[in-house]
Amino acid sequence: MANESRPCPCDIGDKLDYGGRGQEVQVEHIKAYVCKPPASTDKAVIVIHDIFGWELPNTRYIADMLATNGYIATCPDFFVGQEGWKPSNDWATFDDWLKTRSAGKIDKEIDVILKYLKEQCGAKKIGVVGFCWGGAAVQHLMLKNPHLQAGVSIYGVIKFFADTSSLLHPTFFIFAEKDDFIPLQQVAVLEEKLKQNCKVDYEVKIYPGQTHGFVHRKREDINPQDKPYIEEGRKDMINWLNKYL
């Protein structure tokens, strides 16, 4: 790990000052943010938050962007009432904090949200996107869950491919060239495994000069040279969903 004192660089970037266009709902035991497009649709996207939790304005901004592009978008609280990480927390406690929030143990919550989207929102084709912690969760779901149609893993820590690399659904992987947390060597190993074993469409893309969090945690007006890559990452995410949903 590149930085033992700060095991996740998710505090790079800014918390957007953004209110959100959707609404919060209670779905069985989970709270969720939901934003619907102007026209009715049977396509939905589950947005899986990073370590900062479901209320982070940046993640809701992405959900609203997906709704603007014609999807029912929902960002559930996959920490189920537990607090999200705060930048002021002591990074020395991060590993203990993470033990009660496993990206590979969200199946119960996903089933609840899938039921809600199908029965109450009329969704028939459902994809998933996730950032950081949520990006790892997307990898887990693309390997295990038969009820989704496509996924986009955005700087998700590569952790679920030890046993299998047989993805069930088309998956797009977004990585940053200068991500201190996900070395490019790990990305190369993942690509090789997918090349050997994967039977569905996939793409692994590395964005030059970018750092962890660039798609949703960087403000576009801070560094003009980053703006094209931020916009490209978001456009690639939407294009992948459009193609497979």
Side-chain angles (χ1 to χ4, degrees), residues 23-34 46-47 49 54 74-82 105-117 120:
Q23 59 182 348
E24 293 181 7
V25 298
Q26 186 76 37
V27 186
E28 294 187 27
H29 68 293
I30 316 162
K31 285 182 176 173
Y33 175 80
V34 180
I46 301 167
V47 180
H49 55 74
W54 75 297
T74 179
C75 179
D77 175 15
F78 285 102
F79 292 164
V80 198
Q82 295 186 97
K105 293 181 179 173
I106 59 166
D107 300 311
K108 182 180 172 188
E109 285 68 44
I110 284 289
D111 287 346
V112 166
I113 293 299
L114 285 171
K115 185 178 175 214
Y116 163 78
L117 288 171
Q120 296 191 44

mmCIF file of all heavy atoms in Angstrom, residues 23-34 46-47 49 54 74-82 105-117 120:
data_model
loop_
_atom_site.group_PDB
_atom_site.id
_atom_site.type_symbol
_atom_site.label_atom_id
_atom_site.label_comp_id
_atom_site.label_asym_id
_atom_site.label_seq_id
_atom_site.Cartn_x
_atom_site.Cartn_y
_atom_site.Cartn_z
ATOM 1 N N GLN A 23 -34.968 12.698 -4.120
ATOM 2 C CA GLN A 23 -35.533 12.653 -2.772
ATOM 3 C C GLN A 23 -35.049 11.412 -2.037
ATOM 4 O O GLN A 23 -34.644 10.436 -2.657
ATOM 5 C CB GLN A 23 -37.060 12.668 -2.833
ATOM 6 C CG GLN A 23 -37.641 11.503 -3.616
ATOM 7 C CD GLN A 23 -39.163 11.554 -3.714
ATOM 8 O OE1 GLN A 23 -39.806 12.332 -3.029
ATOM 9 N NE2 GLN A 23 -39.729 10.706 -4.559
ATOM 10 N N GLU A 24 -35.120 11.476 -0.720
ATOM 11 C CA GLU A 24 -34.740 10.334 0.109
ATOM 12 C C GLU A 24 -35.977 9.497 0.407
ATOM 13 O O GLU A 24 -37.038 10.032 0.729
ATOM 14 C CB GLU A 24 -34.084 10.821 1.405
ATOM 15 C CG GLU A 24 -32.743 11.500 1.155
ATOM 16 C CD GLU A 24 -32.057 11.960 2.440
ATOM 17 O OE1 GLU A 24 -32.565 11.638 3.542
ATOM 18 O OE2 GLU A 24 -31.015 12.633 2.331
ATOM 19 N N VAL A 25 -35.822 8.184 0.295
ATOM 20 C CA VAL A 25 -36.923 7.273 0.578
ATOM 21 C C VAL A 25 -36.430 6.179 1.525
ATOM 22 O O VAL A 25 -35.228 5.949 1.656
ATOM 23 C CB VAL A 25 -37.474 6.625 -0.722
ATOM 24 C CG1 VAL A 25 -38.027 7.693 -1.651
ATOM 25 C CG2 VAL A 25 -36.410 5.794 -1.423
ATOM 26 N N GLN A 26 -37.364 5.507 2.179
ATOM 27 C CA GLN A 26 -37.039 4.357 3.016
ATOM 28 C C GLN A 26 -37.453 3.104 2.260
ATOM 29 O O GLN A 26 -38.614 2.956 1.872
ATOM 30 C CB GLN A 26 -37.787 4.434 4.350
ATOM 31 C CG GLN A 26 -37.407 3.342 5.346
ATOM 32 C CD GLN A 26 -36.056 3.584 6.015
ATOM 33 O OE1 GLN A 26 -35.700 4.719 6.316
ATOM 34 N NE2 GLN A 26 -35.307 2.522 6.258
ATOM 35 N N VAL A 27 -36.517 2.211 2.016
ATOM 36 C CA VAL A 27 -36.804 0.960 1.314
ATOM 37 C C VAL A 27 -36.472 -0.180 2.276
ATOM 38 O O VAL A 27 -35.301 -0.490 2.488
ATOM 39 C CB VAL A 27 -35.971 0.829 0.025
ATOM 40 C CG1 VAL A 27 -36.407 -0.410 -0.754
ATOM 41 C CG2 VAL A 27 -36.096 2.072 -0.844
ATOM 42 N N GLU A 28 -37.506 -0.748 2.882
ATOM 43 C CA GLU A 28 -37.316 -1.757 3.940
ATOM 44 C C GLU A 28 -36.329 -1.213 4.984
ATOM 45 O O GLU A 28 -36.580 -0.171 5.577
ATOM 46 C CB GLU A 28 -36.886 -3.103 3.338
ATOM 47 C CG GLU A 28 -37.989 -3.711 2.480
ATOM 48 C CD GLU A 28 -37.691 -5.103 1.988
ATOM 49 O OE1 GLU A 28 -36.927 -5.841 2.652
ATOM 50 O OE2 GLU A 28 -38.232 -5.492 0.924
ATOM 51 N N HIS A 29 -35.156 -1.855 5.154
ATOM 52 C CA HIS A 29 -34.257 -1.425 6.230
ATOM 53 C C HIS A 29 -33.223 -0.399 5.767
ATOM 54 O O HIS A 29 -32.325 -0.034 6.509
ATOM 55 C CB HIS A 29 -33.546 -2.644 6.848
ATOM 56 C CG HIS A 29 -32.567 -3.317 5.923
ATOM 57 N ND1 HIS A 29 -32.953 -3.993 4.788
ATOM 58 C CD2 HIS A 29 -31.202 -3.415 5.957
ATOM 59 C CE1 HIS A 29 -31.887 -4.488 4.177
ATOM 60 N NE2 HIS A 29 -30.807 -4.143 4.862
ATOM 61 N N ILE A 30 -33.350 0.066 4.513
ATOM 62 C CA ILE A 30 -32.325 0.947 3.939
ATOM 63 C C ILE A 30 -32.924 2.297 3.555
ATOM 64 O O ILE A 30 -34.009 2.365 2.972
ATOM 65 C CB ILE A 30 -31.738 0.345 2.641
ATOM 66 C CG1 ILE A 30 -31.461 -1.140 2.795
ATOM 67 C CG2 ILE A 30 -30.492 1.086 2.194
ATOM 68 C CD1 ILE A 30 -31.305 -1.854 1.484
ATOM 69 N N LYS A 31 -32.171 3.354 3.802
ATOM 70 C CA LYS A 31 -32.508 4.658 3.239
ATOM 71 C C LYS A 31 -31.839 4.760 1.873
ATOM 72 O O LYS A 31 -30.758 4.213 1.657
ATOM 73 C CB LYS A 31 -32.006 5.788 4.144
ATOM 74 C CG LYS A 31 -32.840 5.972 5.398
ATOM 75 C CD LYS A 31 -32.326 7.138 6.214
ATOM 76 C CE LYS A 31 -33.250 7.364 7.419
ATOM 77 N NZ LYS A 31 -32.697 8.392 8.329
ATOM 78 N N ALA A 32 -32.475 5.470 0.965
ATOM 79 C CA ALA A 32 -31.902 5.613 -0.375
ATOM 80 C C ALA A 32 -32.268 6.966 -0.958
ATOM 81 O O ALA A 32 -33.354 7.488 -0.716
ATOM 82 C CB ALA A 32 -32.400 4.495 -1.291
ATOM 83 N N TYR A 33 -31.330 7.504 -1.723
ATOM 84 C CA TYR A 33 -31.568 8.717 -2.501
ATOM 85 C C TYR A 33 -32.018 8.269 -3.887
ATOM 86 O O TYR A 33 -31.389 7.395 -4.491
ATOM 87 C CB TYR A 33 -30.274 9.531 -2.593
ATOM 88 C CG TYR A 33 -30.356 10.759 -3.479
ATOM 89 C CD1 TYR A 33 -30.931 11.936 -3.021
ATOM 90 C CD2 TYR A 33 -29.841 10.729 -4.776
ATOM 91 C CE1 TYR A 33 -31.003 13.063 -3.825
ATOM 92 C CE2 TYR A 33 -29.904 11.846 -5.588
ATOM 93 C CZ TYR A 33 -30.485 13.010 -5.108
ATOM 94 O OH TYR A 33 -30.546 14.123 -5.916
ATOM 95 N N VAL A 34 -33.121 8.833 -4.375
ATOM 96 C CA VAL A 34 -33.664 8.424 -5.672
ATOM 97 C C VAL A 34 -33.913 9.657 -6.531
ATOM 98 O O VAL A 34 -34.500 10.636 -6.070
ATOM 99 C CB VAL A 34 -34.988 7.632 -5.516
ATOM 100 C CG1 VAL A 34 -35.533 7.218 -6.877
ATOM 101 C CG2 VAL A 34 -34.794 6.408 -4.636
ATOM 102 N N ILE A 46 -28.074 1.624 -10.093
ATOM 103 C CA ILE A 46 -27.762 1.716 -8.657
ATOM 104 C C ILE A 46 -26.381 2.349 -8.544
ATOM 105 O O ILE A 46 -25.419 1.876 -9.157
ATOM 106 C CB ILE A 46 -27.766 0.320 -8.002
ATOM 107 C CG1 ILE A 46 -29.143 -0.342 -8.166
ATOM 108 C CG2 ILE A 46 -27.394 0.421 -6.514
ATOM 109 C CD1 ILE A 46 -29.143 -1.830 -7.836
ATOM 110 N N VAL A 47 -26.285 3.427 -7.776
ATOM 111 C CA VAL A 47 -25.017 4.126 -7.579
ATOM 112 C C VAL A 47 -24.483 3.751 -6.198
ATOM 113 O O VAL A 47 -25.161 3.970 -5.187
ATOM 114 C CB VAL A 47 -25.207 5.659 -7.682
ATOM 115 C CG1 VAL A 47 -23.875 6.378 -7.484
ATOM 116 C CG2 VAL A 47 -25.828 6.033 -9.030
ATOM 117 N N HIS A 49 -21.877 4.301 -3.273
ATOM 118 C CA HIS A 49 -21.061 5.403 -2.747
ATOM 119 C C HIS A 49 -19.655 4.957 -2.360
ATOM 120 O O HIS A 49 -19.349 3.767 -2.257
ATOM 121 C CB HIS A 49 -21.767 6.030 -1.536
ATOM 122 C CG HIS A 49 -22.106 5.029 -0.463
ATOM 123 N ND1 HIS A 49 -21.164 4.477 0.381
ATOM 124 C CD2 HIS A 49 -23.296 4.473 -0.102
ATOM 125 C CE1 HIS A 49 -21.753 3.640 1.220
ATOM 126 N NE2 HIS A 49 -23.058 3.614 0.943
ATOM 127 N N TRP A 54 -23.547 7.599 1.633
ATOM 128 C CA TRP A 54 -24.605 7.874 0.647
ATOM 129 C C TRP A 54 -25.033 9.328 0.593
ATOM 130 O O TRP A 54 -25.672 9.761 -0.361
ATOM 131 C CB TRP A 54 -25.816 6.982 0.935
ATOM 132 C CG TRP A 54 -26.624 7.421 2.130
ATOM 133 C CD1 TRP A 54 -26.199 7.481 3.415
ATOM 134 C CD2 TRP A 54 -27.984 7.843 2.138
ATOM 135 N NE1 TRP A 54 -27.209 7.916 4.241
ATOM 136 C CE2 TRP A 54 -28.321 8.147 3.475
ATOM 137 C CE3 TRP A 54 -28.974 7.998 1.148
ATOM 138 C CZ2 TRP A 54 -29.585 8.590 3.863
ATOM 139 C CZ3 TRP A 54 -30.231 8.446 1.537
ATOM 140 C CH2 TRP A 54 -30.536 8.737 2.879
ATOM 141 N N THR A 74 -30.555 5.532 -8.209
ATOM 142 C CA THR A 74 -30.684 5.482 -6.756
ATOM 143 C C THR A 74 -29.338 5.250 -6.094
ATOM 144 O O THR A 74 -28.537 4.446 -6.572
ATOM 145 C CB THR A 74 -31.686 4.395 -6.301
ATOM 146 O OG1 THR A 74 -31.751 4.387 -4.865
ATOM 147 C CG2 THR A 74 -31.291 3.000 -6.779
ATOM 148 N N CYS A 75 -29.096 5.993 -5.025
ATOM 149 C CA CYS A 75 -27.883 5.806 -4.233
ATOM 150 C C CYS A 75 -28.306 5.391 -2.822
ATOM 151 O O CYS A 75 -28.635 6.241 -1.988
ATOM 152 C CB CYS A 75 -27.065 7.106 -4.200
ATOM 153 S SG CYS A 75 -25.563 6.953 -3.200
ATOM 154 N N PRO A 76 -28.335 4.093 -2.553
ATOM 155 C CA PRO A 76 -28.752 3.614 -1.229
ATOM 156 C C PRO A 76 -27.632 3.767 -0.194
ATOM 157 O O PRO A 76 -26.453 3.915 -0.537
ATOM 158 C CB PRO A 76 -29.052 2.132 -1.469
ATOM 159 C CG PRO A 76 -29.078 1.960 -2.965
ATOM 160 C CD PRO A 76 -28.154 3.000 -3.498
ATOM 161 N N ASP A 77 -28.022 3.682 1.062
ATOM 162 C CA ASP A 77 -27.050 3.718 2.166
ATOM 163 C C ASP A 77 -26.554 2.296 2.406
ATOM 164 O O ASP A 77 -27.136 1.548 3.188
ATOM 165 C CB ASP A 77 -27.706 4.282 3.427
ATOM 166 C CG ASP A 77 -26.785 4.226 4.637
ATOM 167 O OD1 ASP A 77 -25.559 4.011 4.437
ATOM 168 O OD2 ASP A 77 -27.270 4.380 5.767
ATOM 169 N N PHE A 78 -25.464 1.939 1.742
ATOM 170 C CA PHE A 78 -24.947 0.577 1.890
ATOM 171 C C PHE A 78 -24.214 0.371 3.218
ATOM 172 O O PHE A 78 -23.840 -0.753 3.541
ATOM 173 C CB PHE A 78 -24.050 0.214 0.707
ATOM 174 C CG PHE A 78 -24.828 -0.076 -0.542
ATOM 175 C CD1 PHE A 78 -24.924 0.862 -1.561
ATOM 176 C CD2 PHE A 78 -25.501 -1.285 -0.684
ATOM 177 C CE1 PHE A 78 -25.660 0.598 -2.704
ATOM 178 C CE2 PHE A 78 -26.246 -1.555 -1.826
ATOM 179 C CZ PHE A 78 -26.328 -0.617 -2.842
ATOM 180 N N PHE A 79 -24.008 1.438 3.969
ATOM 181 C CA PHE A 79 -23.478 1.290 5.336
ATOM 182 C C PHE A 79 -24.608 1.047 6.334
ATOM 183 O O PHE A 79 -24.366 0.835 7.519
ATOM 184 C CB PHE A 79 -22.681 2.532 5.751
ATOM 185 C CG PHE A 79 -21.386 2.727 4.987
ATOM 186 C CD1 PHE A 79 -20.732 3.957 5.004
ATOM 187 C CD2 PHE A 79 -20.810 1.698 4.272
ATOM 188 C CE1 PHE A 79 -19.534 4.144 4.313
ATOM 189 C CE2 PHE A 79 -19.617 1.871 3.572
ATOM 190 C CZ PHE A 79 -18.980 3.103 3.593
ATOM 191 N N VAL A 80 -25.845 1.094 5.863
ATOM 192 C CA VAL A 80 -27.046 0.782 6.645
ATOM 193 C C VAL A 80 -27.024 1.480 8.017
ATOM 194 O O VAL A 80 -27.066 0.823 9.061
ATOM 195 C CB VAL A 80 -27.242 -0.752 6.805
ATOM 196 C CG1 VAL A 80 -28.690 -1.054 7.210
ATOM 197 C CG2 VAL A 80 -26.923 -1.479 5.522
ATOM 198 N N GLY A 81 -26.954 2.790 7.986
ATOM 199 C CA GLY A 81 -27.038 3.567 9.226
ATOM 200 C C GLY A 81 -25.708 3.832 9.898
ATOM 201 O O GLY A 81 -25.604 4.724 10.740
ATOM 202 N N GLN A 82 -24.682 3.047 9.572
ATOM 203 C CA GLN A 82 -23.361 3.338 10.124
ATOM 204 C C GLN A 82 -22.798 4.598 9.464
ATOM 205 O O GLN A 82 -23.053 4.855 8.293
ATOM 206 C CB GLN A 82 -22.401 2.175 9.863
ATOM 207 C CG GLN A 82 -22.764 0.876 10.560
ATOM 208 C CD GLN A 82 -21.664 -0.156 10.337
ATOM 209 O OE1 GLN A 82 -20.793 -0.357 11.162
ATOM 210 N NE2 GLN A 82 -21.698 -0.825 9.189
ATOM 211 N N LYS A 105 -20.072 -7.583 1.119
ATOM 212 C CA LYS A 105 -21.216 -8.063 1.924
ATOM 213 C C LYS A 105 -22.406 -7.110 1.808
ATOM 214 O O LYS A 105 -22.929 -6.613 2.800
ATOM 215 C CB LYS A 105 -20.792 -8.221 3.390
ATOM 216 C CG LYS A 105 -19.778 -9.336 3.575
ATOM 217 C CD LYS A 105 -19.374 -9.518 5.026
ATOM 218 C CE LYS A 105 -18.380 -10.662 5.173
ATOM 219 N NZ LYS A 105 -17.832 -10.750 6.544
ATOM 220 N N ILE A 106 -22.797 -6.848 0.572
ATOM 221 C CA ILE A 106 -23.931 -5.940 0.339
ATOM 222 C C ILE A 106 -25.072 -6.646 -0.397
ATOM 223 O O ILE A 106 -26.006 -6.005 -0.866
ATOM 224 C CB ILE A 106 -23.487 -4.702 -0.473
ATOM 225 C CG1 ILE A 106 -22.913 -5.121 -1.827
ATOM 226 C CG2 ILE A 106 -22.476 -3.869 0.291
ATOM 227 C CD1 ILE A 106 -22.778 -3.986 -2.805
ATOM 228 N N ASP A 107 -24.995 -7.974 -0.479
ATOM 229 C CA ASP A 107 -25.970 -8.715 -1.286
ATOM 230 C C ASP A 107 -27.408 -8.552 -0.785
ATOM 231 O O ASP A 107 -28.339 -8.414 -1.581
ATOM 232 C CB ASP A 107 -25.591 -10.204 -1.317
ATOM 233 C CG ASP A 107 -24.204 -10.402 -1.930
ATOM 234 O OD1 ASP A 107 -23.946 -9.839 -3.000
ATOM 235 O OD2 ASP A 107 -23.372 -11.099 -1.322
ATOM 236 N N LYS A 108 -27.577 -8.550 0.528
ATOM 237 C CA LYS A 108 -28.926 -8.392 1.106
ATOM 238 C C LYS A 108 -29.511 -7.048 0.695
ATOM 239 O O LYS A 108 -30.678 -6.949 0.284
ATOM 240 C CB LYS A 108 -28.826 -8.503 2.636
ATOM 241 C CG LYS A 108 -30.160 -8.415 3.352
ATOM 242 C CD LYS A 108 -29.954 -8.529 4.860
ATOM 243 C CE LYS A 108 -31.239 -8.248 5.613
ATOM 244 N NZ LYS A 108 -31.009 -8.163 7.077
ATOM 245 N N GLU A 109 -28.685 -5.994 0.785
ATOM 246 C CA GLU A 109 -29.150 -4.652 0.444
ATOM 247 C C GLU A 109 -29.433 -4.533 -1.052
ATOM 248 O O GLU A 109 -30.418 -3.918 -1.462
ATOM 249 C CB GLU A 109 -28.121 -3.602 0.877
ATOM 250 C CG GLU A 109 -28.081 -3.337 2.375
ATOM 251 C CD GLU A 109 -27.557 -4.516 3.188
ATOM 252 O OE1 GLU A 109 -26.544 -5.133 2.780
ATOM 253 O OE2 GLU A 109 -28.165 -4.846 4.235
ATOM 254 N N ILE A 110 -28.578 -5.139 -1.873
ATOM 255 C CA ILE A 110 -28.797 -5.110 -3.327
ATOM 256 C C ILE A 110 -30.117 -5.789 -3.680
ATOM 257 O O ILE A 110 -30.891 -5.290 -4.509
ATOM 258 C CB ILE A 110 -27.619 -5.788 -4.069
ATOM 259 C CG1 ILE A 110 -26.409 -4.849 -4.094
ATOM 260 C CG2 ILE A 110 -28.010 -6.191 -5.481
ATOM 261 C CD1 ILE A 110 -26.532 -3.638 -5.008
ATOM 262 N N ASP A 111 -30.412 -6.914 -3.046
ATOM 263 C CA ASP A 111 -31.674 -7.623 -3.314
ATOM 264 C C ASP A 111 -32.874 -6.742 -2.977
ATOM 265 O O ASP A 111 -33.865 -6.714 -3.722
ATOM 266 C CB ASP A 111 -31.736 -8.928 -2.506
ATOM 267 C CG ASP A 111 -30.794 -10.000 -3.055
ATOM 268 O OD1 ASP A 111 -30.301 -9.828 -4.192
ATOM 269 O OD2 ASP A 111 -30.533 -10.989 -2.338
ATOM 270 N N VAL A 112 -32.796 -6.037 -1.866
ATOM 271 C CA VAL A 112 -33.887 -5.137 -1.448
ATOM 272 C C VAL A 112 -34.075 -4.020 -2.477
ATOM 273 O O VAL A 112 -35.203 -3.691 -2.873
ATOM 274 C CB VAL A 112 -33.587 -4.550 -0.042
ATOM 275 C CG1 VAL A 112 -34.496 -3.361 0.270
ATOM 276 C CG2 VAL A 112 -33.754 -5.628 1.025
ATOM 277 N N ILE A 113 -32.968 -3.433 -2.930
ATOM 278 C CA ILE A 113 -33.035 -2.323 -3.887
ATOM 279 C C ILE A 113 -33.510 -2.814 -5.264
ATOM 280 O O ILE A 113 -34.294 -2.140 -5.938
ATOM 281 C CB ILE A 113 -31.673 -1.604 -3.990
ATOM 282 C CG1 ILE A 113 -31.352 -0.894 -2.659
ATOM 283 C CG2 ILE A 113 -31.655 -0.612 -5.135
ATOM 284 C CD1 ILE A 113 -32.336 0.178 -2.230
ATOM 285 N N LEU A 114 -33.059 -3.992 -5.685
ATOM 286 C CA LEU A 114 -33.529 -4.555 -6.949
ATOM 287 C C LEU A 114 -35.047 -4.765 -6.919
ATOM 288 O O LEU A 114 -35.750 -4.457 -7.888
ATOM 289 C CB LEU A 114 -32.829 -5.889 -7.236
ATOM 290 C CG LEU A 114 -31.370 -5.808 -7.716
ATOM 291 C CD1 LEU A 114 -30.736 -7.191 -7.751
ATOM 292 C CD2 LEU A 114 -31.285 -5.164 -9.100
ATOM 293 N N LYS A 115 -35.543 -5.280 -5.814
ATOM 294 C CA LYS A 115 -36.983 -5.505 -5.660
ATOM 295 C C LYS A 115 -37.742 -4.179 -5.744
ATOM 296 O O LYS A 115 -38.764 -4.059 -6.427
ATOM 297 C CB LYS A 115 -37.229 -6.183 -4.302
ATOM 298 C CG LYS A 115 -38.672 -6.580 -4.074
ATOM 299 C CD LYS A 115 -38.841 -7.301 -2.732
ATOM 300 C CE LYS A 115 -40.309 -7.575 -2.485
ATOM 301 N NZ LYS A 115 -40.661 -7.504 -1.073
ATOM 302 N N TYR A 116 -37.219 -3.165 -5.069
ATOM 303 C CA TYR A 116 -37.837 -1.836 -5.077
ATOM 304 C C TYR A 116 -37.865 -1.264 -6.503
ATOM 305 O O TYR A 116 -38.893 -0.763 -6.972
ATOM 306 C CB TYR A 116 -37.055 -0.902 -4.143
ATOM 307 C CG TYR A 116 -37.328 0.570 -4.349
ATOM 308 C CD1 TYR A 116 -38.495 1.162 -3.852
ATOM 309 C CD2 TYR A 116 -36.424 1.378 -5.039
ATOM 310 C CE1 TYR A 116 -38.752 2.511 -4.041
ATOM 311 C CE2 TYR A 116 -36.663 2.733 -5.229
ATOM 312 C CZ TYR A 116 -37.828 3.296 -4.733
ATOM 313 O OH TYR A 116 -38.071 4.635 -4.932
ATOM 314 N N LEU A 117 -36.740 -1.352 -7.203
ATOM 315 C CA LEU A 117 -36.660 -0.788 -8.558
ATOM 316 C C LEU A 117 -37.612 -1.510 -9.518
ATOM 317 O O LEU A 117 -38.254 -0.880 -10.363
ATOM 318 C CB LEU A 117 -35.225 -0.870 -9.082
ATOM 319 C CG LEU A 117 -34.221 0.103 -8.438
ATOM 320 C CD1 LEU A 117 -32.794 -0.230 -8.892
ATOM 321 C CD2 LEU A 117 -34.560 1.557 -8.769
ATOM 322 N N GLN A 120 -41.587 -1.130 -7.683
ATOM 323 C CA GLN A 120 -42.148 0.201 -7.436
ATOM 324 C C GLN A 120 -41.760 1.239 -8.492
ATOM 325 O O GLN A 120 -42.394 2.282 -8.593
ATOM 326 C CB GLN A 120 -41.740 0.688 -6.042
ATOM 327 C CG GLN A 120 -42.330 -0.198 -4.941
ATOM 328 C CD GLN A 120 -42.159 0.414 -3.566
ATOM 329 O OE1 GLN A 120 -42.374 1.592 -3.372
ATOM 330 N NE2 GLN A 120 -41.761 -0.411 -2.609
#
